[in-house]
Amino acid sequence: MELNYGASRQQPRQDAAMQRFREHRFGQFVHWGLYAMPAGYWQGTEYRFAAEFLQKTANIPEPEWAELAQQFSAEAFDADAWAALAARSGVKYATFTTKHHDGFCLWPSQYTDFHSGNTPAARDFIGELVAAYQRHGIDVYLYYSVLDWHHPDWRYRLESAEDQQAFKRYLDFAMNQLVELAQRYPSVKGFWFDGTWDESVKANGRWTWEVEQRLKELIPGLIVSSRLRADDLGARHRDSNGSLMGDYESGYERRLPDPWDRSVCEQDWEACMTIPQASWGYHAGPWAKRTRKSAAELIDMIAHCTSLSGNFLLNFGPRGDGSIDPEDAALAEQIGNWLAQNGAAIYGKGVATNWSYPGWGYYTQEADSETVYAVVTKWPTARRLRLQLPAGERLLAATLLREPALQLNPQELETSLFELELGNSSEETLVFELTTAAAEEQSWTEPNPDV
Ligand SMILES: COc1ccc([C@H]2[C@H](O)[C@H](O)[C@H](C)N2C)cc1
């Protein structure tokens, strides 16, 4: 059907900026704001829900919530320390919340008083983070929530002429803020939109289309995900013809494509993930802490996404004072140590074209390369690894990607079998670099049943 505000392309972008994003594979999400101070608690009660939703889960009147800004001193905030830890964790890009659903802005916006300049901290946190992360060679993306609980013109639904007029004012405000962000921080590589699921936004597909056009005029090469977009009829992520809007699919929130399905890699996509089960903002309570993921689980997720040519955006929720939770810092270091040894299987890699899903982990491969990586994340209890080679291929060598690199000679079987005892190795996730070649012509022919 004819759409004015549907998908702008049918095939993935092939420009250098998109290729760079694709090759990053692993990124850091950061959710930080006023909600990090109460950290899931209000008047002594632990609220067992996402900490960044506390204003709603605890039914806190908006003015009372806004008062938190007067306590926001962030005395332990150190952009360079965040960036240095991010670099050690192995991320190649980072996405920071500039304004979450509560409407509080981490930059001194000229369009509202509800921002970090009007706090005891009196700082442009976004400006400091952009500079620090870029000094550490990490590309920066900005998260912006269209949903805004603070702004008086926000509407969930448009049920009257007054609603329409108010929401038009709100969309003008949001567009002004987005242009302001793009003009203040022109070195950012993309915008990550959230809070676009309400009827009011879905009824304004044209505005979402105009946002993408306007920001890409201001920052050529900019990357915007499908989550911003609604089409003429209110369809989200994919337009009413089924075509992906934006530059990559960003519907995977706290979930990965499961079961493993090769069709996922026909488009660029990114999964975003929390360390605790279900809080993006820092939650100080046992409810969150007991659901934290391990380094091994998160490494499996990184490899899972890479094996389907997708990116993995892992969220960190710094504490209210601006410090990083030591448990999160330790986890970041563990992941970074693994990537320092095995990153060749992740960075710049994607789906291994001819290799089927093995079950014990994932195959990854650089497009058009003979080298395939086997990332073993679920060791078979038999502690032997069976690799089913693609038809017509044979294995020339298999090298373990860790110091000291072990050269393993597979037994000569049509399906090469590794006899690898892990012994007392503490390492849970091993990577083999597999070198293959086209099998010589078979020296024997299939027996002819008719003879
Ligand atoms: C209603 O379910 C929701 C709504 C919004 C979210 C937000 C989180 O606060 C976080 O910002 C995540 C990226 N986003 C989808 C998550 C679950």
Side-chain angles (χ1 to χ4, degrees):
M1 88 183 56
E2 184 64 32
L3 294 168
N4 295 314
Y5 309 114
S8 44
R9 88 172 60 74
Q10 293 306 312
Q11 295 306 318
R13 274 176 52 173
Q14 293 307 331
D15 57 290
M18 193 69 201
Q19 185 58 22
R20 182 181 171 89
F21 171 76
R22 205 174 272 138
E23 292 180 356
H24 286 338
R25 287 293 174 243
F26 181 37
Q28 179 192 47
F29 215 166
V30 177
H31 277 70
W32 190 56
L34 300 181
Y35 44 77
M37 290 192 292
Y41 284 81
W42 198 255
Q43 295 169 344
T45 299
E46 181 195 26
Y47 285 81
R48 299 185 171 187
F49 195 78
E52 73 281 2
F53 267 77
L54 184 66
Q55 180 181 341
K56 293 302 178 188
T57 38
N59 294 312
I60 301 163
E62 212 292 319
E64 193 175 340
W65 181 264
E67 271 304 301
L68 285 172
Q70 299 323 310
Q71 300 163 37
F72 199 62
S73 54
E75 62 278 7
F77 176 83
D78 179 344
D80 201 67
W82 287 21
L85 176 63
R88 291 197 303 277
S89 77
V91 299
K92 300 297 182 187
Y93 69 108
T95 303
F96 307 117
T97 51
T98 59
K99 182 190 85 167
H100 202 259
H101 308 334
D102 66 354
F104 179 70
C105 301
L106 288 173
W107 83 99
S109 174
Q110 61 179 304
Y111 298 101
T112 176
D113 294 333
F114 195 39
H115 63 69
S116 55
N118 295 331
T119 66
R123 292 166 80 166
D124 172 8
F125 292 110
I126 298 305
E128 291 185 50
L129 288 167
V130 168
Y133 273 69
Q134 285 176 178
R135 275 199 304 275
H136 285 267
I138 299 172
D139 286 353
V140 174
Y141 289 67
L142 299 179
Y143 165 111
Y144 183 87
S145 172
V146 177
L147 167 60
D148 187 320
W149 297 328
H150 178 81
H151 198 289
D153 289 329
W154 168 260
R155 294 291 184 281
Y156 292 97
R157 284 167 300 283
L158 306 176
E159 294 169 335
S160 67
E162 196 283 330
D163 283 348
Q164 295 278 1
Q165 289 151 18
F167 200 62
K168 169 75 171 67
R169 290 193 300 270
Y170 176 74
L171 292 180
D172 289 348
F173 156 81
M175 179 69 88
N176 285 336
Q177 283 205 313
L178 289 164
V179 169
E180 179 182 45
L181 285 167
Q183 290 175 332
R184 288 180 65 91
Y185 315 112
S187 62
V188 301
K189 305 299 181 193
F191 277 77
W192 205 102
F193 287 91
D194 201 2
T196 55
W197 54 80
D198 286 299
E199 291 310 313
S200 52
V201 181
K202 293 198 295 188
N204 281 278
R206 174 176 178 173
W207 179 83
T208 71
W209 180 86
E210 287 171 345
V211 165
E212 180 177 1
Q213 301 304 316
R214 185 87 177 82
L215 293 179
K216 288 184 172 181
E217 283 164 13
L218 289 167
I219 305 179
L222 194 77
I223 294 171
V224 172
S225 83
S226 61
R227 195 177 281 261
L228 161 65
R229 298 282 280 103
D231 75 355
D232 314 44
L233 307 177
R236 294 185 63 223
H237 290 283
R238 289 182 179 275
D239 69 19
S240 302
N241 294 322
S243 301
L244 184 71
M245 296 184 278
D247 300 312
Y248 67 89
E249 208 282 329
S250 68
Y252 293 105
E253 188 244 335
R254 290 185 298 124
R255 65 185 177 92
L256 302 184
D258 193 17
W260 192 92
D261 177 349
R262 195 180 294 276
S263 66
V264 166
C265 67
E266 288 160 11
Q267 293 283 358
D268 290 300
W269 59 278
E270 175 194 70
C272 56
M273 188 59 66
T274 50
I275 293 172
Q277 173 54 29
S279 186
W280 297 85
Y282 175 65
H283 193 298
W287 168 78
K289 289 191 182 306
R290 65 168 164 259
T291 64
R292 291 176 58 85
K293 298 174 185 70
S294 67
E297 285 174 288
L298 293 166
I299 289 165
D300 179 280
M301 292 181 184
I302 294 170
H304 185 147
C305 291
T306 303
S307 77
L308 283 170
S309 300
N311 283 17
F312 185 67
L313 190 65
L314 178 60
N315 184 70
F316 289 77
R319 298 187 291 195
D321 65 358
S323 63
I324 302 285
D325 177 350
E327 283 191 284
D328 285 358
L331 194 61
E333 304 270 7
Q334 279 181 278
I335 295 169
N337 291 339
W338 184 86
L339 282 166
Q341 298 262 21
N342 301 288
I346 304 297
Y347 302 125
K349 303 302 182 298
V351 67
T353 314
N354 301 319
W355 294 67
S356 53
Y357 174 60
W360 38 252
Y362 309 93
Y363 291 118
T364 67
Q365 183 179 23
E366 184 173 341
D368 307 327
S369 157
E370 287 295 303
T371 305
V372 170
Y373 295 88
V375 185
V376 187
T377 63
K378 307 171 185 80
W379 270 90
T381 45
R383 304 185 78 70
R384 286 175 13 189
L385 214 56
R386 181 179 295 279
L387 293 88
Q388 183 60 53
L389 291 172
E393 296 200 24
R394 61 191 173 85
L395 202 56
L396 299 180
T399 309
L400 206 48
L401 275 190
R402 70 176 175 184
E403 294 304 330
L406 304 179
Q407 187 76 22
L408 298 168
N409 297 312
Q411 289 78 346
E412 285 307 316
L413 297 168
E414 56 271 21
T415 56
S416 300
L417 203 56
F418 287 112
E419 301 282 354
L420 185 71
E421 288 309 318
L422 267 181
N424 58 3
S425 159
S426 62
E427 193 164 9
E428 291 158 350
T429 308
L430 300 180
V431 176
F432 299 105
E433 181 177 272
L434 309 175
T435 310
T436 63
E440 272 115 38
E441 284 307 305
Q442 279 171 342
S443 52
W444 47 275
T445 53
E446 294 286 341
N448 180 344
D450 302 333
V451 167

